[in-house]
Amino acid sequence: MLDIGLSIVSLARFQFAMTTVFHFFFVPFSIGMAVLVATMETLYAVKKDKVYLDMAKFWGKIFLLSFAVGIVTGIIQEFQFGMNWSEYSRFMGDVFGAPLAIEALLAFFIESVFIGIWMFTWDRFKPGLHALMIWMTAIGTMLSAIWILAANSFMQHPTGFKINNTTGRIQLTDFGAVITNPQLWRVFPHVILAAIMTAGCVIAGMSAWGLLRKKKDENHFFKVSLRFGLWVSLIFAILSAGAGDLQTQQIIKDQPMKFAATEGIYKDTKDPAPWTVVEAIDAKNHTASSQVEIPKVLSILAYHRLSGSVKGMNSINKELHAKYDKKFGKDMNYYTPPKTLFWSFRVMTGIDLLVMLIAFLGVIWSRKKKDTIENKKWFMVIVGLAIWVPFIGNSAGWFITEFGRYPWIVYGLFTIADAVSPTSTVGTLLFSNIVYFLLFTLLGGVMIWYSRQTLHHGPYYEMEDSKQNVDPFAKEAFVK
């Protein structure tokens, strides 16, 4: 090991976190965009209003690039299982392989086939039938999410397995239990609803920038897109908050240490429990101070009633030692990173509330009877800047999910330290970290540049190109 103060485990964790966060920028976005583009095209098929067709084509370009970048980052992420986490792959392969194989063979197959048909057949099918192609793509993206989350939910709450005493590895005994894992059916709605909210914010934000350019021929297009994005952002921010509450109920049951850390509670609370808005956390000495609290709110959030105390991290730590000391030893640290979880939860929920507020004001100010939103330039700039907000919120939510599982990579069964590849070195991890960082920077830059260029050209730029709808396999496509 190089003597630079870095360990193999910390570098491997950093690399996985970097890859996952970047991958998670694009996957929820592309899922949400697929659903919204499908909705736009369906509105065109039903209402016969051409603006919805123009919207499906314009926002479809952004969806296609996010889909492509999501695939590239997903492939890089899968490389890491063999590169840095081979012990994890050996331990979990029997369970992890089945959902990932189904995801690749079924869900990704549906996505790939129908996205190709959708891209090249704008004038070949009736509007309703063509809209079906993008709906099939959207369904494929959501099926992909189910299988990926099924694997992750097993890591959060293992079900339907046994430990092979000979090999020491997990064996799948009940595939149905993996699919019906309660963690899966709490996290899946939360992810999908947040994904659609993310896409709504991007459409609203880019439309706001489009309107600020004041091009008369684009005004109606971006106005309709803005209202569409604002309504989507408002509705799905509310639904996402509701789904998050359902997921929290399951976390309290399955991973009480994660929940206590998100609330920064070391000692058991009084009854009823107050909700801490902010506090200073001393993770080393397991204490918290300078709390700003709202009485009874944590009891409402945790139990949906005005009474009930919440167990603190100190009590939960004792229970985990009593349960796992024989297997993992008395020196195991069961405290999850409290500062990361505490502030990630507040960032995630704060962003959801911010999106609700911005979208609500936007819907009010852009209503047909009293449309004044274009006169409020300051608000249009806020809507434009809010493009980035849901991506931060999604990442904060993913931090809670993954950091809250510490010290295990498979909850209660396998630790993070045991999962790292024995062949990994500090040198190789440093090199691959730098390469991945540069690659992600390049991909992110391309995504931002292309999106900016698409917005700069406007919705009718390529529609004037006579070759836009040429079948790539027709003879006209080869004529120069």
Side-chain angles (χ1 to χ4, degrees):
M1 181 185 296
L2 297 175
D3 187 17
I4 54 177
L6 295 173
S7 70
I8 290 173
V9 174
S10 62
L11 282 169
R13 291 187 71 192
F14 178 80
Q15 186 174 108
F16 194 81
M18 176 174 62
T19 309
T20 303
V21 167
F22 194 78
H23 182 58
F24 206 62
F25 280 166
F26 296 99
V27 172
F29 177 48
S30 65
I31 292 173
M33 284 299 286
V35 173
L36 297 190
V37 171
T39 304
M40 293 168 187
E41 199 169 350
T42 304
L43 286 171
Y44 169 67
V46 174
K47 294 187 172 185
K48 307 300 181 190
D49 186 340
K50 187 174 177 299
V51 73
Y52 292 112
L53 176 63
D54 296 342
M55 285 168 62
K57 289 184 175 180
F58 180 77
W59 298 112
K61 296 174 193 171
I62 306 296
F63 158 66
L64 288 173
L65 187 65
S66 66
F67 183 81
V69 176
I71 291 173
V72 173
T73 55
I75 292 170
I76 294 171
Q77 194 173 29
E78 291 196 7
F79 277 154
Q80 293 189 71
F81 291 126
M83 290 170 59
N84 301 334
W85 304 98
S86 61
E87 291 301 317
Y88 161 80
S89 300
R90 290 191 185 93
F91 183 74
M92 265 284 286
D94 191 34
V95 174
F96 207 60
L100 290 187
I102 297 172
E103 190 268 339
L105 294 174
L106 175 64
F108 189 64
F109 177 78
I110 293 173
E111 290 175 63
S112 304
V113 168
F114 284 98
I115 202 172
I117 298 173
W118 178 75
M119 284 169 61
F120 297 117
T121 58
W122 282 99
D123 296 325
R124 300 297 178 93
F125 297 117
K126 290 182 178 179
L129 187 57
H130 193 261
L132 179 62
M133 305 303 166
I134 188 66
W135 273 116
M136 290 301 296
T137 305
I139 290 169
T141 62
M142 287 188 277
L143 286 175
S144 282
I146 286 179
W147 293 111
I148 297 296
L149 291 173
N152 185 269
S153 295
F154 183 92
M155 294 159 66
Q156 306 289 339
H157 178 63
T159 54
F161 75 97
K162 71 174 185 179
I163 300 292
N164 186 315
N165 293 326
T166 304
T167 63
R169 301 172 190 168
I170 285 182
Q171 278 190 344
L172 185 63
T173 58
D174 185 355
F175 188 68
V178 174
I179 299 303
T180 57
N181 190 333
Q183 281 274 346
L184 170 61
W185 297 108
R186 298 296 188 282
V187 70
F188 176 70
H190 194 191
V191 168
I192 295 299
L193 295 170
I196 298 173
M197 180 195 74
T198 301
C201 285
V202 172
I203 290 173
M206 290 183 67
S207 299
W209 290 122
L211 283 170
L212 286 169
R213 298 192 316 166
K214 295 187 179 300
K215 285 191 173 182
K216 288 184 179 178
D217 61 326
E218 298 175 357
N219 188 275
H220 179 62
F221 173 89
F222 282 122
K223 201 62 171 291
V224 176
S225 294
L226 177 68
R227 277 185 61 80
F228 181 88
L230 289 170
W231 269 111
V232 168
S233 301
L234 178 61
I235 294 169
F236 285 90
I238 295 169
L239 293 176
S240 176
D245 177 64
L246 287 176
Q247 189 180 357
T248 300
Q249 305 307 309
Q250 195 65 38
I251 289 172
I252 293 170
K253 184 179 177 183
D254 296 338
Q255 298 172 312
M257 180 65 87
K258 179 189 286 186
F259 178 70
T262 59
E263 299 302 335
I265 303 167
Y266 279 104
K267 297 179 181 177
D268 298 353
T269 69
K270 56 188 178 184
D271 187 359
W275 185 68
T276 305
V277 182
V278 293
E279 68 179 11
I281 296 174
D282 184 348
K284 185 177 180 182
N285 296 307
H286 302 155
T287 59
S289 59
S290 306
Q291 292 103 333
V292 177
E293 297 178 333
I294 305 175
K296 301 182 181 179
V297 172
L298 185 56
S299 291
I300 297 172
L301 293 174
Y303 309 117
H304 297 168
R305 62 175 191 261
L306 290 171
S307 62
S309 64
V310 175
K311 201 175 287 185
M313 286 184 275
N314 293 338
S315 297
I316 298 167
N317 183 54
K318 289 179 183 176
E319 292 176 0
L320 291 173
H321 272 289
K323 187 175 181 179
Y324 293 113
D325 272 2
K326 283 187 179 178
K327 183 174 181 180
F328 295 104
K330 295 180 180 179
D331 295 331
M332 181 64 75
N333 174 23
Y334 292 109
Y335 287 93
T336 56
K339 292 180 182 177
T340 304
L341 269 67
F342 180 83
W343 291 111
S344 293
F345 181 75
R346 275 140 192 81
V347 168
M348 179 184 68
T349 52
I351 282 175
D352 200 66
L353 292 171
L354 179 63
V355 169
M356 284 185 211
L357 176 63
I358 293 173
F360 176 75
L361 293 174
V363 166
I364 295 295
W365 287 334
S366 64
R367 66 191 188 279
K368 290 182 179 177
K369 289 185 178 179
K370 198 172 183 179
D371 186 357
T372 59
I373 195 167
E374 284 184 83
N375 300 330
K376 297 175 173 53
K377 188 176 178 181
W378 61 271
F379 182 73
M380 298 284 278
V381 171
I382 289 175
V383 175
L385 294 175
I387 288 174
W388 306 102
V389 164
F391 292 97
I392 299 170
N394 291 342
S395 299
W398 201 240
F399 283 174
I400 296 169
T401 300
E402 298 299 276
F403 280 100
R405 198 173 52 224
Y406 184 87
W408 294 294
I409 198 164
V410 182
Y411 197 86
L413 298 176
F414 203 61
T415 67
I416 295 168
D418 290 334
V420 178
S421 300
T423 53
S424 295
T425 65
V426 169
T428 58
L429 282 166
L430 267 176
F431 176 76
S432 53
N433 265 298
I434 293 169
V435 170
Y436 285 161
F437 177 79
L438 294 175
L439 181 60
F440 294 151
T441 303
L442 176 65
L443 286 171
V446 169
M447 179 73 199
I448 293 170
W449 177 83
Y450 179 82
S451 300
R452 186 181 177 280
Q453 286 297 103
T454 302
L455 181 63
H456 176 73
H457 289 145
Y460 305 113
Y461 176 72
E462 289 189 7
M463 291 178 189
E464 297 168 359
D465 187 340
S466 61
K467 292 185 177 182
Q468 181 199 9
N469 293 322
V470 172
D471 184 337
F473 301 108
K475 62 180 182 181
E476 292 84 356
F478 298 93
V479 176
K480 294 184 178 178

